[in-house]
Amino acid sequence: MQTASIRRATLNGADLDITARRAAGRLVLPRLADNNILTVEAEFAYTSASAGLHYVTDPDDGRACVFSKCYPHGAPRIYCCFDEPDLRAPFTVSVQAPAGWSCLANAPVISRPLEGDPGRWRFALTDPIPPWLSSLCVGPYSGSALRCQRDGRDPLPVTIQAVPSAATDLEPSRILDLLRRSLRYYERNLGVPYPYAKCDLVFVPGLEALAYSVPGLIVIQDQVLKSQPAPSAYYLAAVIAHEFAHAWIGGLVAMRSWEDMWLDEALTTYLSRTALAEIFPGMTPWEASTSASLPDDAYAGDAKAVRELEDLIGRHAVIGGLGTLLRRNAHGSATREDLVRCWSQASGRDLGDWAATTLVRWSAPAEAERMPGRVRVDLVPLGRLDVIGRLEQLGP
């Protein structure tokens, strides 16, 4: 954990020596039992880096909002945790928010203050997720609550929201249609239903990345709505198709080691571009000029390995193998070997030699810095992670 200060920490009801915590930002946990309850009361700083808890001010109207982005290594900047991709637990989250603000998180809201009042927002228990997939967005958002129709299943609850300065640029019906088309393609071809109870989309200012997706929540730069003309007629569709695909790849199942995380993006780019080519007949997402105009072009080089595999075993076997991987490892993690094994079974070919020479890449995530500003988070894990946050000081 990377705290501004620790007020108190207890393990199974006994106080811990918090003065001994400074070794690499870790707490010493002596005399562990078979089952343990660790409670930490601490203050964490807002961050100016890519990962952590962000407090931003909209340059168009001066209004503030808060959002978290935990990948990579950002969760310990928000609460105490074991931040490893293969360690998952169900989360409960509650947030004390100011008047006029709304809250979004991975799971649906189960209780909230009256409209316009300050108070605590509580969210349902999530499916098991790793800390880097936890997220919340808090601010003066507004938008629409909708339902996305599905083939043979109940409609998916969807909200489409933005900060006030971008709300007039929202086109909820268009965004919902793009979601619906992507959802239909992924569920039909992967053979795996959308794995979460809802999907919220929110457009925020000050997001360093173009967008990010976690279970149940997609966060996108508000400039995607405001920038006209868009770099491509398919730009918004590509953003939504890519981030929505992460519900399955990287969400439902993620790669087990940090070194293999590049595969999450490579697979997502392959799957979402394959979907776009079917959704928009005549679109050629892999053609060089088209690819360069799409928001996921930075991942196209890594996705080339999956395209080469398609040439080798066929698209049906590539996507069928992904579906098998998702079903076998749902709400968990998988190794590169697990992925190759599923592809081998789907194609009837031993792909071990191909993988040994093709699925090789690694780059280290960058470190980040903090800026002033505080949020207090109380963490009580009970075989799960219960996170209670209070936005105590809004602003630097």
Side-chain angles (χ1 to χ4, degrees), residues 12-282:
N12 299 325
D15 287 333
L16 293 175
D17 179 7
I18 59 175
T19 63
R21 82 184 200 282
R22 290 299 178 185
R26 300 177 185 273
L27 276 175
V28 177
L29 304 179
R31 299 179 297 280
L32 288 171
D34 291 338
N35 295 290
N36 301 276
I37 298 176
L38 174 66
T39 304
V40 178
E41 182 181 341
E43 288 187 339
F44 294 77
Y46 293 117
T47 184
S48 60
S50 62
L53 189 69
H54 297 260
Y55 174 94
V56 298
T57 301
D58 189 335
D60 290 335
D61 61 14
R63 297 192 188 189
C65 67
V66 172
F67 59 85
S68 67
K69 178 177 179 292
C70 291
Y71 179 85
H73 308 307
R77 298 187 180 109
I78 305 173
Y79 55 86
C80 179
C81 62
F82 296 102
D83 189 25
E84 294 295 334
D86 61 334
L87 296 179
R88 292 187 173 224
F91 277 63
T92 59
V93 175
S94 65
V95 179
Q96 186 77 19
W101 283 30
S102 61
C103 297
L104 303 170
N106 299 98
V109 174
I110 55 175
S111 68
R112 52 161 293 176
L114 295 175
E115 190 73 31
D117 286 352
R120 187 171 297 280
W121 294 65
R122 292 182 171 83
F123 296 86
L125 185 70
T126 70
D127 292 302
I129 60 174
W132 66 271
L133 285 178
S134 65
S135 190
L136 59 89
C137 295
V138 190
Y141 308 125
S142 61
S144 301
L146 306 165
R147 298 178 75 79
C148 187
Q149 298 300 318
R150 308 161 78 180
D151 293 339
R153 295 185 176 89
D154 291 337
L156 175 67
V158 171
T159 68
I160 302 170
Q161 304 185 53
V163 290
S165 68
T168 56
D169 297 307
L170 278 178
E171 298 180 78
S173 60
R174 178 189 176 203
I175 294 172
L176 183 68
D177 182 60
L178 294 172
L179 270 178
R180 180 188 59 78
R181 294 187 187 195
S182 298
L183 176 63
R184 183 180 184 186
Y185 180 89
Y186 298 144
E187 289 191 331
R188 184 178 70 244
N189 287 277
L190 292 170
V192 179
Y194 177 79
Y196 306 110
K198 54 87 177 177
C199 180
D200 296 321
L201 286 84
V202 59
F203 294 82
V204 302
L207 180 61
E208 184 177 275
L210 179 70
Y212 69 90
S213 177
V214 296
L217 178 63
I218 297 173
V219 184
I220 304 173
Q221 276 185 15
D222 63 347
Q223 292 303 311
V224 171
L225 297 175
K226 298 177 181 179
S227 297
Q228 297 296 331
S232 163
Y234 303 109
Y235 196 82
L236 179 60
V239 172
I240 290 174
H242 183 98
E243 299 305 330
F244 201 36
H246 272 306
W248 289 265
I249 300 171
L252 180 62
V253 177
M255 301 312 294
R256 188 162 298 167
S257 68
W258 292 116
E259 291 82 0
D260 286 339
M261 283 294 179
W262 70 273
L263 277 166
D264 283 347
E265 290 297 349
L267 294 168
T268 297
T269 300
Y270 169 82
L271 182 64
S272 60
R273 287 191 173 193
T274 302
L276 287 172
E278 180 173 305
I279 292 170
F280 299 102

Side-chain angles (χ1 to χ4, degrees), residues 309 312-313 336-337 339-345 347-360:
L309 180 63
L312 186 64
I313 66 173
R336 192 185 321 177
E337 291 73 24
L339 175 61
V340 174
R341 190 176 303 114
C342 289
W343 277 334
S344 295
Q345 292 173 353
S347 64
R349 300 178 58 168
D350 185 351
L351 297 170
D353 290 343
W354 170 85
T357 58
T358 307
L359 296 185
V360 179

